[in-house]
Amino acid sequence: MALNLMAGRTFNDITQYPVFPWILADYTSETLDLSDSSVYRDLSKPMGALNPDRLEQLLDRYEDLDGFPEEEKFLYGSHYSSPGVVLHYLIRQEPYTSMHITLQSDRFDCPDRLFFDLGGCWKSCNTSTSDVKELIPEFFLCPDIFTNTNEFPLGKTQAKVCVDSVKLPPWAKGSPHEFIRLHKLALESDYVSDNLHHWVDLIFGYKQRGPAALDAHNVFHCLSYEGAVDIDKITDEVERKAIEGHISNFGQTPSQLIPKEPHPPRSFVEDEPLHLFQVSLSLVTMAIACIIID
């Protein structure tokens, strides 16, 4: 959250909403062993590069953009954070429900495209060439987003599945609170603590832009990056509105906080705690020094 806030992300603007990572890759097991590294997502890669088959398709498409200037070529036409992503996840809670309806021309979106199965959402983010979204903070703190407490009529899918509360992985035992509890534990696990800095490099750091981003397969549409275009210098009204609309609706990359060096891994080295006597003695020493100086 500290990095998100420093990068200009805020809960008050769905175009600049805080970004959190997918950290788990197991949404099918009955139990979740957080000491097993295989249950985690590879945090050194962006969402679009996790599946090698999909990445190959995206790279082929990237190579086909020969007519584009190099700075305008992109791997991902969609973004990991956008108003649509935020409203997709928060559709069951107001005011986001009403915002979703407004975004979808005064109706709910097609039931098959709604957020109703967490495992299915993870699968889509790993297979679809137009879906590379990350998570939002509520996945670690707000069980209400998974429950249709307001009983909104979200419809039925083509497979005749009624869209109601979100289907959770088996290890959550049908409880949104249990999912949040385990998800928070996973976020603070040894594996995530050892690897989260790689994800920070992709979202906020030196792999966000330039050659390092290209090497990491982390290249998004040029208009998603801060400072990519100076709106005030565009005199054509139609062009300016089109660019503003793209920036507002199709995702914005956070401000780059660490442009040159990798973010260091989390440190587990802790200083020995000072005992009360030691603290008192140091304060006395400082007080005596001040008296002598005076």
Side-chain angles (χ1 to χ4, degrees):
M1 277 307 304
L3 290 171
N4 271 285
L5 292 173
M6 285 187 284
R9 314 303 280 194
T10 171
F11 289 104
N12 298 322
D13 184 354
I14 61 172
T15 70
Q16 295 271 4
Y17 213 74
V19 186
F20 269 53
W22 284 96
I23 55 173
L24 293 173
D26 184 350
Y27 296 92
T28 58
S29 299
E30 292 293 330
T31 59
L32 187 65
D33 182 2
L34 295 178
S35 64
D36 182 0
S37 61
S38 68
V39 306
Y40 296 96
R41 165 251 183 112
D42 185 348
L43 289 162
S44 68
K45 298 177 181 179
M47 285 299 298
L50 292 178
N51 181 339
D53 293 333
R54 176 178 63 175
L55 179 60
E56 185 177 356
Q57 297 178 46
L58 293 168
L59 288 171
D60 288 341
R61 188 176 69 183
Y62 180 84
E63 294 301 326
D64 288 338
L65 298 175
D66 290 334
F68 285 68
E70 193 62 32
E71 65 274 10
E72 294 184 10
K73 295 174 70 174
F74 57 88
L75 269 175
Y76 314 115
S78 60
H79 204 269
Y80 53 78
S81 176
S82 68
V85 169
V86 176
L87 299 180
H88 178 75
Y89 288 139
L90 299 181
I91 186 175
R92 289 166 177 80
Q93 298 298 321
E94 289 287 15
Y96 305 102
T97 308
S98 297
M99 295 169 74
H100 168 92
I101 292 172
T102 300
L103 185 67
Q104 297 296 331
S105 303
D106 297 327
R107 58 180 175 79
F108 285 113
D109 195 7
C110 172
D112 288 87
R113 290 199 294 261
L114 298 180
F115 176 46
F116 64 90
D117 181 350
L118 189 54
C121 184
W122 166 253
K123 182 179 179 180
S124 174
C125 292
N126 277 269
T127 56
S128 171
T129 56
S130 60
D131 189 357
V132 293
K133 58 181 173 288
E134 292 278 10
L135 297 183
I136 55 176
E138 283 81 354
F139 275 76
F140 301 89
L141 58 89
C142 186
D144 298 318
I145 69 170
F146 304 112
T147 306
N148 190 15
T149 52
N150 295 306
E151 300 182 351
F152 291 121
L154 302 176
K156 290 184 178 181
T157 66
Q158 293 181 10
K160 306 302 180 183
V161 175
C162 182
V163 179
D164 192 30
S165 295
V166 177
K167 180 182 178 183
L168 298 172
W171 46 260
K173 309 304 179 187
S175 169
H177 291 83
E178 179 66 2
F179 172 82
I180 293 291
R181 185 184 74 85
L182 290 173
H183 210 207
K184 288 170 69 175
L185 287 175
L187 184 63
E188 295 299 332
S189 66
D190 290 342
Y191 177 88
V192 175
S193 293
D194 290 340
N195 292 279
L196 187 60
H197 61 286
H198 297 306
W199 182 83
V200 171
D201 289 336
L202 295 168
I203 307 300
F204 303 103
Y206 81 107
K207 291 183 179 180
Q208 185 199 94
R209 301 186 183 198
L214 186 59
D215 292 341
H217 306 305
N218 192 40
V219 181
F220 295 84
H221 194 282
C222 61
L223 291 179
S224 73
Y225 296 99
E226 184 180 42
V229 62
D230 189 343
I231 295 292
D232 295 331
K233 291 184 178 180
I234 300 175
T235 56
D236 186 282
E237 185 70 13
V238 175
E239 181 185 1
R240 184 172 62 82
K241 287 186 177 181
I243 292 176
E244 288 177 341
H246 188 286
I247 293 172
S248 297
N249 295 305
F250 289 93
Q252 298 181 41
T253 302
S255 298
Q256 189 178 29
L257 300 177
I258 314 166
K260 296 182 179 180
E261 298 179 355
H263 189 286
R266 181 175 180 177
S267 173
F268 290 94
V269 178
E270 296 182 359
D271 296 328
E272 287 292 325
L274 291 173
H275 296 292
L276 180 60
F277 174 75
Q278 291 176 298
V279 175
S280 301
L281 184 60
S282 63
L283 291 175
V284 169
T285 304
M286 290 177 61
I288 293 174
C290 290
I291 292 173
I292 293 172
I293 291 173
D294 288 343

